[in-house]
Amino acid sequence: MTEFIEELKFVFLDDNRYKLLVEGFFNTLKITAGALLIGVVIGIVVAAIRSSYDKNKETMKLRGGIGYRVLAVINAICKVYLTVIRGTPVVVQLMICYFIVFVSAQDGVPVAIFAFGINSGAYVAEIFRAGIMSIDNGQFEAGRSLGFNYFQTMRYIIIPQMFKAVLPTLCNEFIALIKETSVAGYVGVSDLTKSGNVIAGRTFEYFIPLLTVAAIYLIIVSLLTSLVGKLERRLRKSER
Amino acid sequence: MNDNIIEVKGLKKHYTGGAVRALDGIDCEIRRGEVVVIVGPSGSGKSTLLRSLNLLEVPTEGQILFNGADITAPKTNINKHRQKMGMVFQHFNLFPNMNIIKNMTLAPTKILGKSEADAEKQAEELLVKVGLVDRKEAYPSQLSGGQKQRIAIVRALCMEPEVMLFDEPTSALDPEMVGEVLDVMQDLAKQGMTMVVVTHEMGFAKEVADRVIFMDEGVIIEEGTPDDIFNNPQSERLKSFLSKVLI
């Protein structure tokens, strides 16, 4: 037992190595939170465009005008975005961002936030789109018949209902995102995984640092899951 | 002064490139303060006609004039016109994530810019009229079908429409709840509301309608007073339709 404590002391306390872990922990949180925000914003916009196009292309074609052509072009751009992002590995996207797009970047964290945000946006968009499509068309018609325009109907009626419907799937995506950020080390960001790895490399002790890192991820994910569970229950309560 | 609130001219609605002709040349007008009931066998295009009146269905051809303005013209701001055309659906379409009062005040506050308090006051007055003011905090899932439909009617009334469109408002209800909804509609008619009603309730058509339109296969076969239509049908198709429905 004392031997184990000695080892812990050596791994984490000598040279203040625990500070690496703390820094990594906060970097992981920063990247995840930032990417989440970007992902949700992109997701809502892309999902709204894609489902608007799918739902209305026939009526819009009939009514004619420039609106239809503009929407068709934007929809095509969204489709390309989804295909490219979902068709390539996130590590490759991250490295392209860091070594090609933002080649002069000093700090890897904002670049990682950007890259993971763009990546997550594609998946969130499809989740939201499925949510929007799952809402009964009667809700759209009720909104429109009251005099709401398309965007107001989306904002006040469809998206609040969509959000509730997709919350579990969305939570799943966020869990995946947290763990995906563990590849941020590829572009020199000292996130949680990288820090664990650095400590292991310096001490030649792999067991303790890596298991600690794993435990921290597990705790973050568990906390998030229980938080979303609570939110879900609260949203559902409003219906009974 | 032109007292036609709605005029329909040569309205056609075709699907799949003309293979399906849901509406095949409709001409009719709705006068202010009139209750018009549209009847006909299923698939006759009566719901399509009603949904065309506020452009939930975009017609393939023809014109719809609302208060003299052509709402089928591409430049029209249809949202402005829809604010004056209330609609009630077969499946209620209440917003399930909002309570009753929120269902009713959402559009007046967000579209007309009414204050929350004004909108609630107006909503409560309407709820008193339909006997549901004690359920104002309830959610749609806690209400019966008849209650939901009564709420749907007053939700539309909150926008103070000039005309109310009813798309088979009692078809999804249990038989014992049909009466309560028809009562609300009858009261509304008595107050002078212009109403266009698609329904299978022939009793309602007979009692409340000023004019009945009989449609089949996308065209108007006959129209006239309830007495003309029900007691003195001219066409074979109307006669055979009436012989099949219970009155």
Side-chain angles (χ1 to χ4, degrees):
Chain A
M1 193 63 204
T2 45
E3 225 172 90
F4 183 67
I5 290 169
E6 281 304 308
E7 230 178 271
L8 274 182
K9 270 186 187 159
F10 166 64
V11 170
F12 291 125
L13 294 184
D14 283 10
D15 293 337
N16 282 338
R17 277 192 279 265
Y18 72 93
K19 280 188 177 164
L20 283 172
L21 221 50
V22 174
E23 191 202 349
F25 172 75
F26 282 112
N27 275 342
T28 291
L29 283 194
K30 260 191 247 169
I31 295 168
T32 309
L36 203 99
L37 212 68
I38 296 174
V40 168
V41 172
I42 293 178
I44 287 182
V45 173
V46 172
I49 292 167
R50 295 262 294 120
S51 53
S52 299
Y53 180 77
D54 285 352
K55 270 179 189 284
N56 302 319
K57 57 182 167 192
E58 258 126 61
T59 5
M60 287 187 78
K61 232 185 201 164
L62 246 158
R63 295 199 76 186
I66 188 106
Y68 171 71
R69 264 166 287 163
V70 172
L71 188 62
V73 170
I74 299 175
N75 179 61
I77 295 172
C78 289
K79 264 185 164 167
V80 171
Y81 160 72
L82 293 176
T83 310
V84 170
I85 295 299
R86 294 194 302 164
T88 52
V90 64
V91 191
V92 177
Q93 292 164 16
L94 179 68
M95 291 200 291
I96 289 173
C97 277
Y98 189 72
F99 295 114
I100 301 173
V101 182
F102 298 106
V103 71
S104 57
Q106 301 291 315
D107 184 3
V109 174
V111 178
I113 290 176
F114 176 83
F116 285 113
I118 297 282
N119 178 273
S120 180
Y123 293 94
V124 173
E126 286 299 273
I127 293 172
F128 283 172
R129 189 169 71 90
I132 290 172
M133 298 307 258
S134 78
I135 288 167
D136 181 38
N137 206 35
Q139 295 289 316
F140 272 98
E141 291 186 343
R144 296 309 302 274
S145 77
L146 285 168
F148 284 110
N149 66 30
Y150 190 86
F151 293 100
Q152 289 171 324
T153 309
M154 275 285 185
R155 177 172 160 206
Y156 294 121
I157 296 159
I158 304 304
I159 291 183
Q161 293 184 50
M162 172 278 287
F163 200 73
K164 188 153 59 172
V166 302
L167 205 56
T169 330
L170 202 58
C171 173
N172 208 28
E173 164 60 21
F174 292 161
I175 289 172
L177 176 65
I178 292 171
K179 292 175 295 177
E180 263 174 16
T181 60
S182 61
V183 298
Y186 271 87
V187 296
V189 174
S190 32
D191 75 317
L192 194 53
T193 306
K194 176 84 171 181
S195 303
N197 205 18
V198 166
I199 294 174
R202 286 190 193 162
T203 57
F204 301 106
E205 276 285 351
Y206 283 86
F207 185 80
I208 294 175
L210 292 187
L211 253 62
T212 309
V213 165
I216 295 174
Y217 277 113
L218 191 61
I219 291 167
I220 300 175
V221 170
S222 308
L223 278 178
L224 182 80
T225 312
S226 77
L227 227 79
V228 173
K230 265 189 197 138
L231 183 64
E232 232 175 281
R233 272 193 298 280
R234 226 180 61 193
L235 285 178
R236 228 178 309 144
K237 211 162 47 185
S238 70
E239 259 178 54
R240 330 239 128 173
Chain B
M1 192 194 126
N2 188 351
D3 67 344
N4 286 342
I5 188 163
I6 296 174
E7 281 175 68
V8 178
K9 292 179 182 170
L11 191 70
K12 291 186 182 177
K13 175 72 181 178
H14 295 173
Y15 293 105
T16 54
V20 182
R21 294 157 178 252
L23 296 178
D24 212 6
I26 300 276
D27 292 278
C28 64
E29 65 286 324
I30 313 292
R31 286 182 278 276
R32 213 171 283 278
E34 189 181 36
V35 177
V36 176
V37 173
I38 307 174
V39 298
S42 57
S44 59
K46 51 194 194 303
S47 275
T48 311
L49 172 59
L50 188 83
R51 289 160 53 81
S52 299
L53 296 183
N54 69 350
L55 247 57
L56 283 184
E57 300 281 352
V58 179
T60 317
E61 232 179 82
Q63 277 184 318
I64 297 161
L65 305 185
F66 177 58
N67 281 332
D70 181 4
I71 59 171
T72 47
K75 294 265 179 205
T76 314
N77 181 357
I78 187 62
N79 304 311
K80 279 267 172 264
H81 294 295
R82 279 182 180 145
Q83 290 165 21
K84 300 185 193 119
M85 307 167 115
M87 188 159 199
V88 175
F89 301 88
Q90 182 177 359
H91 295 289
F92 329 125
N93 296 348
L94 296 178
F95 308 131
N97 55 331
M98 304 174 198
N99 65 17
I100 299 311
I101 203 85
K102 191 89 189 93
N103 258 282
M104 294 174 68
T105 56
L106 185 73
T109 53
K110 303 293 182 202
I111 299 175
L112 303 179
K114 279 193 184 178
S115 73
E116 207 75 44
D118 282 354
E120 268 183 42
K121 190 163 157 273
Q122 179 201 22
E124 278 179 26
E125 280 165 13
L126 284 164
L127 283 173
V128 170
K129 279 189 193 162
V130 296
L132 286 170
V133 73
D134 55 326
R135 306 307 311 272
K136 65 176 181 177
E137 300 290 339
Y139 282 83
S141 60
Q142 300 165 318
L143 302 180
S144 72
Q147 290 174 328
K148 279 185 209 173
Q149 198 60 299
R150 283 187 278 162
I151 297 296
I153 293 171
V154 288
R155 178 177 70 177
L157 290 177
C158 279
M159 289 297 284
E160 293 165 19
E162 293 175 22
V163 54
M164 286 284 285
L165 312 174
F166 292 86
D167 188 6
E168 305 199 18
T170 57
S171 297
L173 297 177
D174 289 341
E176 75 266 27
M177 290 171 183
V178 170
E180 63 190 66
V181 172
L182 292 181
D183 285 346
V184 171
M185 290 167 63
Q186 196 160 1
D187 283 346
L188 202 56
K190 276 186 198 147
Q191 288 159 33
M193 175 62 78
T194 312
M195 292 163 62
V196 186
V197 185
V198 169
T199 186
H200 295 291
E201 297 294 329
M202 297 301 155
F204 178 82
K206 266 186 164 176
E207 222 176 297
V208 183
D210 297 310
R211 198 147 53 90
V212 177
I213 293 176
F214 173 68
M215 283 180 70
D216 195 14
E217 293 179 353
V219 290
I220 295 176
I221 307 283
E222 267 189 71
E223 61 176 294
T225 63
D227 189 48
D228 290 342
I229 296 290
F230 292 111
N231 300 329
N232 191 16
Q234 301 297 315
S235 63
E236 278 312 309
R237 273 196 270 183
L238 178 53
K239 281 178 195 164
S240 95
F241 174 71
L242 290 175
S243 71
K244 283 179 207 147
V245 294
L246 296 169
I247 299 180

